[in-house]
Amino acid sequence: MEWQPDEQGLQQVLQLLKDSQSPNTATQRAVQQKLEQLNQFPDFNNYLIFVLTRLKTEDEPTRSLSGLILKNNVKAHYQNFPPTVADFIKQECLNNIGDPSPLIRATIGILITTIASKGELQTWPELLPQLCNLLNSEDYNTCEGSFGALQKICEDSSELLDSDALNRPLNIMIPKFLQFFKHCSPKIRSHAIACVNQFIIGRAQALMDNIDTFIESLFALAADDDSEVRKNVCRALVMLLEVRIDRLIPHMHSIIQYMLQRTQDPDENVALEACEFWLTLAEQPICKEVLSGHLVQLIPILVNGMKYSEIDIILLKGDVEEDEAVPDSDQDIKPRFHKSRTVTLQHEGGEGEEGEDIEEDDDDDDDTLSDWNLRKCSAAALDVLANVFRDELLPHLLPLLKGLLFHPDWVIKESGILVLGAIAEGCMQGMVPYLPELIPHLIQCLCDKKALVRSIACWTLSRYAHWVVSQPPDSHLKPLMTELLKRILDSNKRVQEAACSAFATLEEEACTELVPYLSFILDTLVFAFGKYQHKNLLILYDAIGTLADSVGHHLNQPEYIQKLMPPLIAKWNELKDEDKDLFPLLECLSSVATALQSGFLPYCEPVYQRCVTLVQKTLAQAMMYNQHPDQYEAPDKDFMIVALDLLSGLAEGLGGHVEQLVARSNIMTLLFQCMQDSMPEVRQSSFALLGDLTKACFPHVKPCIAEFMPILGLNLNPEFISVCNNATWAIGEISMQMGAEMQPYVSMVLPHLVEIINRPNTPKTLLENTGTRTLYSTLLGYVCPQEVAPQLQQFIRPWCTSLRNIRDNEEKDSAFRGICMMIGVNPGGVVQDFIFFCDAVASWVNPKDDLRDMFYKILHGFKDQVGEENWQQFSEQFPPLLKERLSACYGV
């Protein structure tokens, strides 16, 4: 007997569906409660599918809503459906996939894929064969509905479909889909391509076996009248470029010609898919070879795509010039993620480098349109191509640029400024001759009457900040800074944002060049505090933090502190502990505390206490959540990470002054818990703080060493590069303080360190940190040479290789003393790799006298031991430069 609804029950369900379409919140709440009650009845879901598939008299939105409520129930508790209910739903779906209404077909398709993704592809074996059979139906609706459902299944379960778990259904499905590329209906053709496209990136075997047929079928559809079909063809070719470029190379000339056409497609969605082709091609080694002949066509097309569309201008309120008094809505503000502190050392060629790659700024500044669009894609493509072709791009660009930059129509002028910014990185060399006249023109554009022109000029100027700073300050730096500071106080929020970000970039490039203007800069930034709405305040914090990082201790002047600190502390007192705006403010204060050093003392106590409280609260919340996940929410651990980083900033800035704050708090106990947290970023920040506290007030750290060392040892795992980096650094700091008392702990860390330094793909930053600091040198060389020397042979070569790249400094000095001590204990350990030791010694420019003596003794000792003749043979292997240096400095 087939299930039939009870008439009264059916009316109740229909009433509920009508009510749920009401805008009234009280009605909505009643609907939610009623839904929860009805979900207690096992056959409630039968009523929902019945309304969707059988009640043709009801209006479509109500029927579709019934299906969507059922989909949510499937998502939430399908495993509790009685088998009879589950079977009834599945049967109804398959019987009605050809409903005459596109909305109902789509809803049934969503329902099918939701059931399938609940692990039901395995337990619903007839699903795929039946859907594939229905594709052959003479009835258009049935064919389209089945294809719609298959497309969703392919999107949701592409990996499972290509696995043995289901007996490899793709072997049948892919050839079947390919037949439909020639179907008379554009909607069906489009579904067919979209289905196959799901399997390109994963290189599904069934597709690879039919790859040539697939590519031929795509070419046949190249000029299709339907824009959705063209879009899917472009998408397929872009993915094939990544995965099977070997198959495209024979046709590359015609593919490029096709993509040039499609990048100008009247349908912007097609043009956007086609424009991705240039981005992907730029990453391929063959890019230069296959594209150089087409640049003359491509460059004008990309430049043309960089104009704002009319829709963009409406969305960006391009005609609204003054909006500074309009408050921001919450959705204007993108979530921010705090980047945990990584301890870095000074390497060759520059101050401390960041441990991670810093994301390049977006190639465009219109973040409010965070949707990827043709303008952004064209700009990104021009940027990457500029990095591939460098100055070869300029002959195609310069003639266009002149016309754009001085164009009377602001939309065209604006796109020209964006072009100039996009090529800044790749074509810098070739642009240098033009910059002395371009930069003043751009600075003039900062005063344009159109806000969108002013904001893009900010961004483009920031891309040339490096060059501006390399010139005499009066020529460009001063005028640029003066105008940018005015723009920070612009009456348009977008311009404020762009100016603030550009100024932060300028600060990073100019560093101490800004010191003479500090008073003027601080006046502007502090004035902006009173002017800015919510979103831009967050960017302002960043500009202040970057300023502090850039000028360092020069900020520590009473007049500057008096300007800067009151507004920052006022904000600090205004924000509650739960407010995410604390993140950027804490990051900013961390930089300020490090820069001000003792100047921060009057403010440190409340700041320190609050950070400790934030850590304590987060740990307590995490504990409650772990014990009762159903009753408590998981805490946002970013609060704790940011607080630990600010404590590091305080310890680094205040040095010994932090001692009394540490003495009056339970920070060491909290640190012990943070070091064992499950989240790598929390551990990373706690090890940074441990190292900073070790330097600032070791007596408070020392009693905890026995508990801390085993945890540090466990975290020497290069899988988590930044955690490992900070842990090795902390061990190094502790060793310097502990001296010979470090002996009992050597066995906890040494095996891990030897392993890290010998791993073939250990990242450079880690090697240089481990290489200089902890490794065997301070830690062990002079702390416990007896324990470490026996293992000398395992690490001397990578150790020397990583140390030769580091500038003369204290850390390099202590590292070499350590290695010399170990060679004293175990001279045999260095014999096989002696040439590497010689090379590392030669990397010193000015070693201290006693260290030079150590080198002298070891080199001459080795030479005497092997004898003159063997030494001659040995030194023949030296590169000429090394030979010269050793002979000049050490007489060997």
Side-chain angles (χ1 to χ4, degrees):
M1 246 304 273
E2 192 184 48
W3 179 87
Q4 284 299 327
D6 163 65
E7 192 48 44
Q8 199 186 348
L10 189 57
Q11 288 314 316
Q12 239 188 328
V13 171
L14 285 171
Q15 191 51 50
L16 182 74
L17 292 167
K18 293 274 184 282
D19 289 345
S20 67
Q21 293 171 59
S22 146
N24 179 332
T25 38
T27 316
Q28 286 292 344
R29 219 170 287 135
V31 168
Q32 273 318 108
Q33 285 173 327
K34 187 80 179 147
L35 271 177
E36 279 164 28
Q37 287 166 9
L38 289 171
N39 266 321
Q40 305 307 310
F41 297 101
D43 66 351
F44 171 51
N45 292 303
N46 282 1
Y47 282 89
L48 292 172
I49 189 79
F50 188 87
V51 175
L52 173 67
T53 57
R54 304 273 185 103
L55 273 197
K56 315 269 183 189
T57 50
E58 274 303 320
D59 61 292
E60 289 179 14
T62 302
R63 290 171 59 198
S64 171
L65 183 63
S66 183
L68 294 174
I69 292 174
L70 176 55
K71 176 208 74 167
N72 290 338
N73 284 349
V74 168
K75 254 194 163 136
H77 24 236
Y78 185 71
Q79 63 286 0
N80 305 334
F81 284 21
T84 50
V85 173
D87 289 343
F88 181 61
I89 294 171
K90 289 177 182 174
Q91 207 38 59
E92 282 300 296
C93 283
L94 284 173
N95 291 346
N96 292 281
I97 191 73
D99 192 281
S101 149
L103 177 64
I104 301 299
R105 291 200 297 273
T107 310
I108 294 175
I110 291 172
L111 190 50
I112 289 177
T113 189
T114 310
I115 296 173
S117 64
K118 281 302 216 181
E120 287 293 302
L121 268 178
Q122 281 102 320
T123 51
W124 192 0
E126 67 275 20
L127 172 65
L128 293 172
Q130 258 188 290
L131 286 174
C132 285
N133 270 339
L134 291 170
L135 295 180
N136 301 332
S137 164
E138 292 295 306
D139 173 46
Y140 167 78
N141 293 337
T142 305
C143 177
E144 196 279 326
S146 310
F147 241 135
L150 280 166
Q151 186 181 331
K152 294 183 183 85
I153 293 171
C154 292
E155 283 167 12
D156 291 347
S157 313
S158 60
E159 283 179 23
L160 185 60
L161 290 171
D162 188 31
S163 70
D164 288 328
L166 299 175
N167 255 333
R168 306 230 167 240
L170 291 185
N171 293 339
I172 297 163
M173 289 162 69
I174 285 195
K176 179 118 191 146
F177 295 153
L178 289 171
Q179 291 169 2
F180 283 87
F181 277 35
K182 298 188 175 67
H183 197 275
C184 59
S185 151
K187 187 98 172 95
I188 304 276
R189 295 198 295 275
S190 179
H191 277 312
I193 310 171
C195 284
V196 180
N197 282 358
Q198 296 305 321
F199 303 101
I200 300 177
I201 295 294
R203 299 169 184 263
Q205 193 52 51
L207 178 55
M208 294 302 130
D209 295 343
N210 290 282
I211 195 80
D212 291 331
T213 318
F214 176 45
I215 292 174
E216 277 162 37
S217 313
L218 286 173
F219 288 167
L221 292 175
D224 202 282
D225 296 336
D226 183 80
S227 62
E228 200 56 30
V229 172
R230 294 198 303 274
K231 186 178 94 176
N232 282 328
V233 169
C234 290
R235 184 173 288 172
L237 289 170
V238 171
M239 290 191 283
L240 286 167
L241 196 55
E242 274 184 60
V243 176
R244 290 305 304 262
I245 194 164
D246 57 311
R247 281 288 182 263
L248 298 185
I249 286 176
H251 315 284
M252 197 51 95
H253 179 79
S254 38
I255 293 175
I256 288 175
Q257 285 303 324
Y258 174 66
M259 286 299 188
L260 286 166
Q261 257 178 319
R262 287 288 71 82
T263 309
Q264 307 170 77
D265 200 281
D267 182 315
E268 186 174 322
N269 294 318
V270 179
L272 177 57
E273 284 297 337
C275 194
E276 296 278 353
F277 181 82
W278 314 114
L279 265 180
T280 307
L281 183 58
E283 289 164 7
Q284 305 297 328
I286 62 155
C287 175
K288 215 166 173 174
E289 180 192 332
V290 297
L291 202 54
S292 43
H294 302 278
L295 287 179
V296 61
Q297 292 163 283
L298 173 61
I299 298 303
I301 293 173
L302 289 178
V303 167
N304 193 42
M306 286 164 75
K307 292 199 300 278
Y308 275 126
S309 66
E310 286 172 32
I311 305 271
D312 290 340
I313 295 171
I314 295 165
L315 287 175
L316 287 171
K317 308 190 179 63
D319 49 347
V320 177
E321 294 301 322
E322 291 190 22
D323 61 357
E324 64 173 343
V326 183
D328 295 327
S329 68
D330 282 348
Q331 56 264 42
D332 288 343
I333 297 164
K334 286 204 287 205
R336 290 192 50 170
F337 300 102
H338 172 69
K339 195 164 151 303
S340 313
R341 194 175 170 95
T342 314
V343 184
T344 48
L345 291 172
Q346 299 191 346
H347 300 318
E348 281 286 13
E351 294 306 304
E353 288 157 26
E354 274 300 334
E356 263 83 323
D357 286 339
I358 294 166
E359 289 299 309
E360 277 301 314
D361 285 339
D362 256 326
D363 213 329
D364 194 341
D365 76 333
D366 38 64
D367 282 342
T368 27
L369 270 195
S370 51
D371 312 343
W372 191 232
N373 56 21
L374 184 60
R375 166 186 164 91
K376 290 188 164 187
C377 190
S378 307
L382 189 61
D383 182 358
V384 290
L385 290 170
N387 277 299
V388 172
F389 287 96
R390 301 281 166 190
D391 297 344
E392 292 170 40
L393 220 54
L394 292 177
H396 306 289
L397 258 177
L398 290 172
L400 296 172
L401 257 176
K402 222 176 174 93
L404 298 172
L405 288 172
F406 297 94
H407 202 282
D409 178 349
W410 74 266
V411 177
I412 296 177
K413 175 175 169 181
E414 192 278 344
S415 72
I417 300 173
L418 173 57
V419 168
L420 204 52
I423 60 169
E425 200 186 332
C427 305
M428 184 58 92
Q429 281 320 104
M431 287 307 292
V432 166
Y434 307 98
L435 292 180
E437 75 188 270
L438 275 177
I439 296 295
H441 176 63
L442 286 171
I443 293 176
Q444 225 178 333
C445 293
L446 287 174
C447 312
D448 196 275
K449 60 180 197 300
K450 276 297 191 194
L452 289 171
V453 174
R454 298 198 297 278
S455 62
I456 198 68
C458 290
W459 178 75
T460 293
L461 280 160
S462 75
R463 303 268 288 175
Y464 290 96
H466 186 75
W467 181 83
V468 167
V469 171
S470 69
Q471 304 300 300
D474 283 349
S475 53
H476 303 292
L477 177 62
K478 222 166 144 183
L480 171 58
M481 193 172 60
T482 314
E483 282 310 313
L484 263 185
L485 288 171
K486 286 185 198 162
R487 291 293 68 84
I488 285 179
L489 303 179
D490 200 276
S491 58
N492 179 280
K493 291 195 288 191
R494 236 183 122 64
V495 179
Q496 294 171 357
E497 176 186 359
C500 244
S501 303
F503 196 71
T505 308
L506 185 64
E507 289 169 339
E508 286 174 346
E509 291 289 351
C511 292
T512 48
E513 298 269 336
L514 298 177
V515 174
Y517 317 107
L518 264 175
S519 184
F520 183 37
I521 293 172
L522 286 170
D523 284 340
T524 305
L525 296 179
V526 169
F527 189 77
F529 255 109
K531 191 178 169 74
Y532 276 13
Q533 297 294 343
H534 186 180
K535 178 184 178 189
N536 286 351
L537 261 182
L538 307 184
I539 298 160
L540 181 63
Y541 294 143
D542 181 51
I544 292 172
T546 308
L547 179 67
D549 294 338
S550 305
V551 299
H553 65 91
H554 296 284
L555 199 56
N556 189 6
Q557 300 289 335
E559 88 168 283
Y560 301 152
I561 296 176
Q562 206 30 58
K563 286 180 190 212
L564 181 58
M565 288 310 295
L568 282 177
I569 294 294
K571 284 287 173 205
W572 169 263
N573 292 332
E574 211 177 283
L575 293 176
K576 297 190 174 55
D577 280 353
E578 300 67 54
D579 194 327
K580 291 214 167 142
D581 283 7
L582 273 175
F583 297 171
L585 179 54
L586 281 158
E587 287 175 27
C588 167
L589 279 170
S590 179
S591 298
V592 170
T594 309
L596 289 185
Q597 298 171 346
S598 59
F600 198 78
L601 270 175
Y603 309 96
C604 65
E605 180 127 13
V607 173
Y608 179 89
Q609 289 308 342
R610 185 170 196 178
C611 288
V612 172
T613 308
L614 283 170
V615 174
Q616 205 157 359
K617 275 190 176 175
T618 314
L619 286 171
Q621 211 181 329
M623 206 158 98
M624 311 249 263
Y625 171 72
N626 289 336
Q627 287 165 357
H628 310 285
D630 43 342
Q631 293 169 29
Y632 294 96
E633 278 192 21
D636 182 343
K637 289 189 178 172
D638 270 355
F639 283 104
M640 174 155 78
I641 297 169
V642 181
L644 289 166
D645 288 348
L646 176 44
L647 288 169
S648 281
L650 286 175
E652 193 181 331
L654 299 173
H657 295 295
V658 84
E659 190 275 331
Q660 63 238 38
L661 295 171
V662 174
R664 293 201 297 273
S665 70
N666 60 342
I667 186 68
M668 299 315 293
T669 320
L670 298 174
L671 201 49
F672 183 59
Q673 289 173 269
C674 294
M675 287 164 55
Q676 300 175 76
D677 196 272
S678 56
M679 188 174 178
E681 290 79 2
V682 175
R683 301 200 300 277
Q684 175 183 335
S685 291
S686 22
F687 295 139
L689 176 55
L690 176 62
D692 282 316
L693 289 175
T694 300
K695 287 169 82 166
C697 53
F698 188 61
H700 291 287
V701 178
K702 196 171 180 181
C704 313
I705 294 296
E707 287 182 301
F708 284 7
M709 264 343 260
I711 301 173
L712 283 161
L714 287 175
N715 279 280
L716 297 176
N717 169 7
E719 295 308 311
F720 298 107
I721 156 108
S722 304
V723 179
C724 184
N725 180 52
N726 289 4
T728 44
W729 178 74
I731 295 171
E733 289 300 337
I734 291 169
S735 318
M736 304 237 274
Q737 301 282 349
M738 294 277 283
E741 292 176 66
M742 193 66 188
Q743 195 176 341
Y745 307 110
V746 171
S747 59
M748 289 179 193
V749 295
L750 187 62
H752 300 290
L753 293 175
V754 172
E755 190 191 343
I756 289 171
I757 203 165
N758 280 298
R759 269 175 63 129
N761 48 0
T762 298
K764 176 168 166 275
T765 43
L766 191 54
L767 269 182
E768 296 187 349
N769 174 9
T770 5
T772 47
R773 200 74 199 229
T774 332
L775 245 79
Y776 318 109
S777 52
T778 4
L779 166 59
L780 310 166
Y782 30 57
V783 179
C784 328
Q786 308 299 337
E787 276 69 29
V788 187
Q791 314 218 20
L792 189 59
Q793 209 171 329
Q794 296 183 2
F795 57 79
I796 182 82
R797 177 188 290 201
W799 190 89
C800 288
T801 318
S802 72
L803 274 179
R804 69 183 298 280
N805 297 324
I806 287 166
R807 291 192 292 216
D808 291 10
N809 61 22
E810 284 306 313
E811 279 150 357
K812 183 163 173 170
D813 181 89
S814 58
F816 272 89
R817 286 171 196 279
I819 209 88
C820 291
M821 307 273 274
M822 279 187 277
I823 293 175
V825 178
N826 174 15
V830 74
V831 171
Q832 284 181 316
D833 296 306
F834 198 68
I835 186 164
F836 291 94
F837 176 73
C838 297
D839 185 44
V841 166
S843 74
W844 274 94
V845 184
N846 287 314
K848 292 182 183 160
D849 291 345
D850 59 334
L851 183 61
R852 189 188 292 271
D853 288 344
M854 287 181 169
F855 293 159
Y856 185 91
K857 286 190 180 115
I858 291 173
L859 291 168
H860 280 271
F862 187 83
K863 183 177 171 181
D864 297 345
Q865 206 178 347
V866 298
E868 187 65 42
E869 197 178 322
N870 288 338
W871 175 260
Q872 279 310 316
Q873 277 179 332
F874 174 68
S875 59
E876 282 308 306
Q877 309 163 30
F878 291 176
L881 201 65
L882 174 59
K883 218 170 174 170
E884 238 170 82
R885 287 202 74 153
L886 289 178
S887 138
C889 302
Y890 301 100
V892 290

